[in-house]
C-alpha cells in the first residue's frame, strides 16, 4: 500500500517552500510526488503521529529521508530520533545502516588490520552506529572526562559519563 501527496520542496534541504512563487519555479524542482509506503511508519521524537521513511538523502552517513504528514514536508532523520516503529521500518532501518556503515580503517599498505587497536575501536563505533545512526569524522573528546568519543556517539559526552548522570 502506498500513500502519496504532492508537495514542492527543495531537493537539497528537504524543506517545503510556500508556493507558487517565481523563485521556486526557477530554482527548485517543481511538483514532486512523494511516494511512501504506509508500512514504513515511525514516531519522530519532537513531533506527533506517524512519519514515513522514504529513502536516502545522501547527506551524512546514517541519515535517512522521511516524510512528515503533519508539516507536509520531507526531513532528515537519524535512528536516535526515532521512537516506536513498525516491524517493517525496523528491518528497513537495520538494512539501511548496514549498507551505510563507514569503511574500516586500513594500515599503510591499504589493508584492514583485524588485530589493530584502530580496528577494535571501529568495531565498537559501528556497533553503536546501529543504535544511534550517527557518524562523524571529527575527532572529539568527552566534555566531562576527556576520553575519546566514538565516531557514532551523538552527544559531546561519553556513554560512561552519561550513564553516571
Ligand atoms: Zn513531524
Ligand atoms: Zn566522559
Amino acid at each position: 500500500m502506498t500513500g502519496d501527496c504532492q508537495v514542492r520542496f527543495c531537493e537539497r534541504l528537504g524543506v517545503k517552500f510556500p508556493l507558487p512563487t517565481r523563485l521556486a519555479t526557477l530554482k527548485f524542482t517543481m511538483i514532486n510526488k512523494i511516494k511512501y509506503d504506509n508500512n514504513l511508519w515511525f514516531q519522530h521524537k519532537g513531533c506527533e503521529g506517524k512519519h514515513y521513511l522514504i529513502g536516502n538523502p545522501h547527506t551524512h552517513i546514517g541519515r535517512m529521508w522521511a516524510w512528515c504528514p503533519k508539516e507536509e514536508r520531507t526531513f532528515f532523520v537519524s535512528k536516535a530520533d526515532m521512537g516506536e516503529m513498525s516491524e517493517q521500518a525496523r528491518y528497513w532501518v537495520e538494512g539501511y545502516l548496514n549498507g551505510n556503515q563507514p569503511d574500516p580503517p586500513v594500515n599503510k599498505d591499504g589493508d584492514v588490520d583485524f588485530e589493530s587497536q584502530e580496528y577494535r575501536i571501529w568495531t565498537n563505533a559501528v556497533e553503536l552506529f546501529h543504535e544511534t545512526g550517527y557518524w562523524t569524522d571529527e575527532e572529539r573528546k568527552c566534555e566531562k572526562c576527556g576520553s575519546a568519543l566514538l565516531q557514532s556517539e551523538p552527544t559531546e559526552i561519553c556513554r560512561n559519563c552519561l550513564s553516571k548522570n
Side-chain angles (χ1 to χ4, degrees):
M1 268 220 305
T2 59
D4 56 50
C5 42
Q6 292 201 322
V7 66
R8 299 172 198 218
F9 66 97
C10 165
E11 281 188 315
R12 285 189 168 277
L13 301 173
V15 177
K16 188 189 171 202
F17 285 83
L19 285 173
T21 70
R22 218 160 251 207
L23 187 72
T25 315
L26 289 173
K27 276 196 168 168
F28 303 109
T29 313
M30 289 306 299
I31 295 172
N32 287 271
K33 240 187 168 161
I34 303 281
K35 276 205 183 296
Y36 61 86
D37 187 323
N38 285 319
N39 287 319
L40 295 179
W41 65 265
F42 65 94
Q43 304 283 349
H44 186 216
K45 292 179 185 170
C47 195
E48 288 161 25
K50 286 181 174 176
H51 295 68
Y52 299 90
L53 291 162
I54 306 173
N56 184 351
H58 298 279
T59 54
H60 296 287
I61 286 174
R63 280 287 196 84
M64 294 165 276
W65 201 32
W67 171 252
C68 174
K70 192 169 170 240
E71 291 176 30
E72 296 191 309
R73 67 179 184 96
T74 62
F75 65 104
F76 306 142
V77 65
S78 299
K79 192 181 171 191
D81 301 321
M82 298 167 81
E84 199 191 328
M85 64 183 90
S86 68
E87 195 180 8
Q88 290 91 336
R90 199 154 48 77
Y91 284 112
W92 192 99
V93 169
E94 196 52 29
Y96 186 85
L97 293 181
N98 266 293
N100 248 229
Q101 279 180 5
D103 293 329
V106 292
N107 60 22
K108 56 178 171 17
D109 302 324
D111 298 321
V112 176
D113 179 357
F114 296 101
E115 305 296 324
S116 68
Q117 167 84 342
E118 287 79 18
Y119 184 77
R120 199 179 55 77
I121 293 170
W122 176 84
T123 308
N124 288 338
V126 163
E127 203 174 291
L128 180 63
F129 174 64
H130 280 263
E131 267 175 55
T132 63
Y134 176 83
W135 194 268
T136 178
D137 287 327
E138 253 177 75
E139 276 193 29
R140 302 167 304 158
K141 291 209 176 347
C142 171
E143 283 178 356
K144 287 204 161 167
C145 70
S147 64
L149 288 174
L150 291 175
Q151 286 173 279
S152 48
E153 277 176 283
T155 58
E156 302 298 314
I157 295 170
C158 77
R159 304 223 118 198
N160 259 342
C161 292
L162 273 181
S163 67
K164 281 179 206 152
N165 280 346

